[in-house]
Amino acid sequence: MKNTPPRAFLPAGLRSPGRWAVLPAAVLAGAALGGGYGALKAPQYAATSYVIVVPAEKSDPAAALGFAQAYGRVATDIAVTGDAQVWAGVTADTLRRSVQAATSPDAPMISITARSERPAKAVSMADGVARALVLNSSHVAGSTGVKVVQFSRATKPVAPVSPSAPLSALVGGCAGGLLGGLVLLVRPKRSGARGEARHSRQAAAPAASAAVPAPAAATHQPEAV
């Protein structure tokens, strides 16, 4: 009786040990790409300026919080229409891309954060947008009943906020390992299904041939005299 080799009973992933080389290769590739991106990309610096909305005399203090939310939403638009471009020395598109305004739900304060490859440029953009808000609020203070006041000027950043090359390499390696693991989870299932189908066809072929009876030999009958 012919015995089936033990190798046939192993999972498809274990019968092909070369597949597991995909995981370390994916980790190394991801780390190399992430580290290269972190090393080649210019570092980004962030500077933040703060303004506060204060109510005028005989105005509702609660209105200052609502106007702070409104000014935070249109901060970059006011800066573009004002003189912030001239003060910061950048274009309107650069202001829209590089400046973000955030408000607080508890206090009528607006933080204006600017990002740039040069620390001094980030400071000038943040302070320029804050100055544009202060001037705009003073022009419409008679109708709004509030005005924007400079609370804190931006300080020159000393360290970049963009990820460093080692951190980018670590993130890239994790992403590569995740993708490599997904490949290992998907491919062995498909190959295993094909192997099982092939073995089932091979096992069914002898069974079918054994089930068909051989034709009986014809016997010679003597002729009647």
Side-chain angles (χ1 to χ4, degrees):
M1 182 177 63
K2 184 178 179 181
N3 295 328
T4 304
R7 181 182 175 87
F9 293 99
L10 293 176
L14 296 180
R15 293 201 302 267
S16 302
R19 293 181 182 272
W20 294 101
V22 174
L23 186 58
V27 172
L28 292 177
L33 292 176
Y37 175 80
L40 296 177
K41 183 176 175 58
Q44 293 284 318
Y45 295 87
T48 303
S49 180
Y50 296 91
V51 296
I52 190 170
V53 180
V54 296
E57 295 181 0
K58 299 180 181 180
S59 297
D60 185 8
L65 184 59
F67 276 104
Q69 303 291 329
Y71 275 118
R73 292 188 182 95
V74 298
T76 54
D77 294 334
I78 293 176
V80 168
T81 56
D83 295 329
Q85 304 173 67
V86 179
W87 297 326
V90 296
T91 62
D93 291 337
T94 302
L95 279 179
R96 289 192 177 97
R97 287 196 315 267
S98 306
V99 178
Q100 292 181 344
T103 58
S104 172
D106 302 323
M109 181 175 289
I110 306 172
S111 63
I112 302 165
T113 303
R115 292 173 176 261
S116 176
E117 297 177 1
R118 292 181 293 172
K121 183 63 65 177
V123 171
S124 62
M125 285 192 294
D127 287 339
V129 175
R131 185 178 176 185
L133 288 178
V134 171
L135 289 180
N136 180 269
S137 68
S138 64
H139 295 159
V140 296
S143 58
T144 60
V146 297
K147 60 181 179 179
V148 179
V149 179
Q150 183 83 43
F151 184 79
S152 174
R153 295 179 63 88
T155 58
K156 188 176 181 179
V158 296
V161 294
S162 56
S164 60
L167 181 59
S168 299
L170 179 61
V171 174
C174 293
L178 179 61
L179 293 177
L182 291 177
V183 171
L184 289 177
L185 289 176
V186 173
R187 293 186 61 183
K189 291 182 179 181
R190 295 178 179 177
S191 60
R194 290 195 297 265
E196 291 178 359
R198 184 172 62 253
H199 288 308
S200 62
R201 289 195 300 268
Q202 292 176 355
S209 60
V212 178
T219 55
H220 180 70
Q221 296 291 336
E223 295 181 358
V225 179

